[in-house]
Amino acid sequence: GLTLLIYGLFLMGFDLMKDLTDPNVEVGRSILAYDQSLVWSPIYQAALALSVFLAILINVNEVSMHRYYRNRLMESFMPIVGAEEAEGELPEPDTFPVHRAQPVGDAPYHIINTSANMVGSKDIKLQGRGADNFILSPLYCGSGICGYAKTAEYVGGKMDLATAFSISGAAIDPNSYATRSRSVSFLMSLLNIRLGYWIRNPRYPAKFLPGLSRPRWYVYMLREMLGSGLNENVNHIHLSDGGHFENLGLYELIRRHCKFIVVSDVGADPEYSFQALAKVIEMARVDFGAQINLKVDDLEPQGERRFSKKSFVVGTVDYPG
């Protein structure tokens, strides 16, 4: 719909410039003299009306690449078990809510990390980082800047596990650290090359029908295209890959003062520069006052065969106090 609308505006501008340069057309009449045969044809008007209708009513989260991506991940990692193999009630993968993913016994408590886009924030720190870490967990969803909401109540308790881990892996998205150029973000949004997800800001819960609360899609898509209004003070925020904020999953564990932490660095780092680790070490120091002491020399490739001396290294975290 946006493509069609912009195409029409370009045609109008082209015809207007053509008339302005035509010596046979009076300048005073040139604004009204452009060719109206295509722009104002019944077909174009009908298509424009349809595009506006779709922009107002259609859920962008459902028609973007996110939905396709999410369904493929769900089929890969949440396969439907046959009824003969199931004991008791079998949850449906397509609707299995995050708040039901509670750990049993000594099983781990899952924290799904995403990035809340903050390129439009007035907070200089958030603006520079471009995002804030936003978690989706069985008990709470939210971030330090947006606040937190109980998962069982957040967006009507309908945040499902497949959607949550798909957002966490939404690597291709406008306004990330790699696509923050205005021209790139504009084209990615315009052509729907995006895996991110629009969701209610926990700071401003819906007062009526929280499960049906949705943004004015056309307004928020324009915000995504122009990088304007992406901040912590709007009713709906845009979530994308957790790696757009911090790629190791270490940030939230430092926030919780965990005593023992295992980090698996699987980022694309062919030169072994450990940029992701350096980034989160600085974030932990600035945000939490925690000092991470970790030497990675033994992980760097050595010799002609480029083998590392060790496959892991051990360090310490000094928390405040």
Side-chain angles (χ1 to χ4, degrees), residues 56 198-199 213-218 220 236:
I56 294 173
W198 285 100
I199 199 169
S213 172
R214 61 178 179 80
R216 298 179 181 88
W217 296 116
Y218 58 96
Y220 280 75
H236 288 80

Side-chain angles (χ1 to χ4, degrees), residues 250-295:
L250 179 58
Y251 185 83
E252 288 296 325
L253 303 181
I254 297 295
R255 184 200 298 274
R256 287 159 177 74
H257 285 206
C258 290
K259 184 177 180 180
F260 183 73
I261 299 173
V262 178
V263 172
S264 179
D265 186 348
V266 294
D269 187 16
E271 301 301 324
Y272 287 75
S273 61
F274 300 98
Q275 291 182 359
L277 179 62
K279 180 180 179 180
V280 72
I281 287 176
E282 179 63 10
M283 285 181 170
R285 184 189 66 81
V286 173
D287 294 358
F288 308 127
Q291 184 64 46
I292 300 175
N293 305 295
L294 186 66
K295 291 185 177 182

Side-chain angles (χ1 to χ4, degrees), residues 98 101 103 108-114 133-142 148 151 161 164-165 168 242 246 248-258:
V98 173
Y109 177 79
H110 293 290
I111 301 173
I112 300 174
N113 293 279
T114 71
N133 203 68
F134 191 100
I135 66 164
L136 301 166
S137 72
L139 292 180
Y140 290 94
C141 295
Y148 296 88
T151 306
L161 187 60
F165 66 65
S168 182
E246 187 268 301
L248 299 184
L250 179 58
Y251 185 83
E252 288 296 325
L253 303 181
I254 297 295
R255 184 200 298 274
R256 287 159 177 74
H257 285 206
C258 290

Side-chain angles (χ1 to χ4, degrees), residues 187-236:
L187 286 174
M188 289 181 69
S189 301
L190 186 67
L191 301 177
N192 209 11
I193 305 174
R194 45 187 296 282
L195 294 174
Y197 192 88
W198 285 100
I199 199 169
R200 190 81 188 189
N201 188 341
R203 179 186 288 189
Y204 304 112
K207 296 181 179 179
F208 304 101
L209 301 175
L212 298 177
S213 172
R214 61 178 179 80
R216 298 179 181 88
W217 296 116
Y218 58 96
V219 174
Y220 280 75
M221 283 304 296
L222 285 172
R223 288 185 175 182
E224 192 171 343
M225 292 175 74
L226 303 175
S228 176
L230 296 172
N231 57 61
E232 67 276 21
N233 297 315
V234 291
N235 287 337
H236 288 80

Side-chain angles (χ1 to χ4, degrees), residues 16 19-34:
L16 177 59
D19 290 335
L20 286 173
T21 57
D22 188 346
N24 298 319
V25 178
E26 297 179 18
V27 176
R29 295 182 58 252
S30 61
I31 295 179
L32 300 176
Y34 59 83

Side-chain angles (χ1 to χ4, degrees), residues 46-57:
L48 179 61
L50 177 62
S51 69
V52 173
F53 175 79
L54 294 176
I56 294 173
L57 295 183

